[in-house]
Each structure stands twice: as C-alpha cells, then as structure tokens.
Amino acid sequence: ALSCGSSASRCCLRHRDVIRRRTAPGTVCAFLDVACGPGYCSREMPRKQIRAVLFDLDGTLLDTLADIAAAMNTTLERHGLPPHEIEAYRWMVGSGLRKLVERAVADANGGLPHETMDSLQNGLREEYTQNPVVYTRPYDGIPALLDALHARGVPMAILSNKSDALVQDIVRTLLSGWEFCVVIGLREGVPAKPDPATALEAARALGVDPSSVLYLGDTDVDMETAKSAGMHPVGAAWGFREAEELRAAGAAEIINEPGELLALIDGSSA
C-alpha cells in the first residue's frame, strides 16, 4: 500500500527505496495523484537492477583526512600561514588540490597573490605525494564489503578527484587485495567531478549501462556526479560530510555503514 501522511513515519511502504518530498496540505501528489497531508509524500522509487558499484576514494573507501591535513598544514606553515585542526579539513576536501588550497587560506586578509597560491598548490602536491599513506586506512567494514561484492561477482571501480598517478599509488598500496575494473583519478585535459565524463568512462569499463551503476560517495560533489551521469547516488554517512549535505545534493539513499550497501543491491534485484 502507498499513502501520504503528516510525517515520513506515517508513510506505508512495501520497499525501503522511496522518494520523499515536502508538500503543502491538500496538494495533489505528482507521483500518486492523491491529496497529500501536511508533510511528506512518498512512493516506491523505480530503479534498474544494480549491476556494478563505482566508489569514491577519499572519505568513502579510505579515511585519508589526517594525511591530507598534515600535508596542507606543513605547506601552510612553510609559507608563514596558520594551520587548521584536522576536523576542519572535512569541509575543504573533495574538489581537487586548488580548491583545497583556496579553502585553507580563505581567511587570509585581502586574499593572496596568484603566485603564492601556485606555490601553495605545488607545495601541497609535493608534500602529499611524498607522504600519502602515513595514517590513511580503509574504513571499518570496507574490506568485508569488498570481499562480499567480489564473491557476488559485482564489478567495481574507483573514481577520484586526486591526481591519477597518486590515486593509482594509493590504491596499489592499500587496496591491492581486490580487483577493480578501472581506477580513475584526475588527468590533464579531462574535467574533474562533478562533470560526468569520468563516471561515464568508468561505466564503460564496468561494461554496464550508467543507470545500472550504484555510485557511493561522501560529498555533494559525488552525488552531483552520480546524478549527472545517470547513476544511482548513495551517500556514505561515515565519510567527510554530513548526511544533510548528501540529501540536499540528491542522494537516493544514505547508508551508515558499508555493509548496508549489500541490502541496496539485493533489493534492486528483488
């Protein structure tokens, strides 16, 4: 049965995959063609069977925050600029090196000269390339998830806004125990996420239609990438950003631990 009520808890649904929208009392539901009460309107969300999984790297598979923070703070201090607490970097990462530098010096009075910004970016790249996996480790539950997906024959890929060479090195170091159809980082001349180009490239390597790919990520950039590529966006609540950001960016589901991904895949084939 399907119904609309005053809250999400009053919706009667046969499946967990739903769309919820705020509606005014008496509004005709665009999905169900019935009058909604004050609050949420829900329906089952159609979805193709999930045939492959595309992972973001930082904040999704690997907790890289401490190493990123250490590299950026070292670079800032070398330029006479104040460092930040590790937790502050949760809201700085996810959009590439230049954006990270811009966010790290956002409080600089009057801004910094272009030459200084270039120097900071180059220094960050050098420092992080030399020390990318001092503290970085897979999140709890990720090894078991990758094992389970491999056992089920679900093809997997990785997509990151880190430089491609660095991504390849990190994956070889920490994730070499699992097979990924393709691992893609940022390359010259190829647009970064949220442009869908590299996500669509990953879908071709996975050998499936983009609509059959579940994209798991932890930032708004990931959700926007998945939507632009026609994939199924799922938010990783254990990552760098809050669930509210993921929902606002279009996450179809949000999972609190890696193992919950298996239920989504199983549900898509029911």
Side-chain angles (χ1 to χ4, degrees), residues 35-99:
C36 295
Y40 288 95
C41 170
S42 301
R43 74 167 175 91
E44 294 176 29
M45 182 176 67
R47 183 178 70 201
K48 281 191 175 183
Q49 181 177 355
I50 299 302
R51 300 185 181 277
V53 177
L54 177 58
F55 292 101
D56 172 52
L57 185 63
D58 298 60
T60 302
L61 291 175
L62 302 178
D63 184 356
T64 57
L65 198 64
D67 282 321
I68 293 172
M72 187 73 256
N73 282 341
T74 296
T75 304
L76 290 170
E77 289 172 336
R78 286 174 178 166
H79 286 76
L81 296 167
H84 301 280
E85 296 292 331
I86 291 176
E87 286 299 304
Y89 284 99
R90 290 186 181 276
W91 290 270
M92 299 185 195
V93 299
S95 300
L97 286 184
R98 188 66 173 202
K99 278 293 183 183

Side-chain angles (χ1 to χ4, degrees), residues 243-257:
E244 289 74 14
E245 176 181 313
L246 299 173
R247 291 191 187 95
E253 287 97 6
I254 296 176
I255 57 176
N256 294 310
E257 57 185 45

Side-chain angles (χ1 to χ4, degrees), residues 160-228:
S160 173
N161 268 348
K162 269 185 167 70
S163 72
D164 189 65
L166 188 54
V167 169
Q168 304 298 333
D169 183 46
I170 292 172
V171 170
R172 277 194 301 269
T173 302
L174 296 176
L175 298 171
S176 62
W178 297 276
E179 181 179 354
F180 296 95
C181 293
V182 68
V183 175
I184 302 173
L186 190 61
R187 295 161 296 176
E188 187 174 355
V190 180
K193 300 184 291 184
D195 188 285
T198 48
L200 294 173
E201 177 185 347
R204 291 191 293 271
L206 289 162
V208 300
D209 187 86
S211 63
S212 297
V213 177
L214 186 155
Y215 186 122
L216 181 66
D218 71 303
T219 70
D220 56 345
V221 170
D222 293 312
M223 301 302 100
E224 291 164 10
T225 304
K227 291 191 300 178
S228 296

Side-chain angles (χ1 to χ4, degrees), residues 4-5 8 12 16 30-31 45 52-53 74 83 87 121 124 128-129 158 165 206 222 229 239 241 246 249 256-257 260:
C4 296
C12 178
R16 62 184 294 171
F31 298 138
M45 182 176 67
V53 177
T74 296
E87 286 299 304
Q121 182 175 340
L124 172 60
Y128 188 59
T129 299
I158 296 173
L206 289 162
D222 293 312
R241 303 292 175 78
L246 299 173
N256 294 310
E257 57 185 45
E260 293 177 14

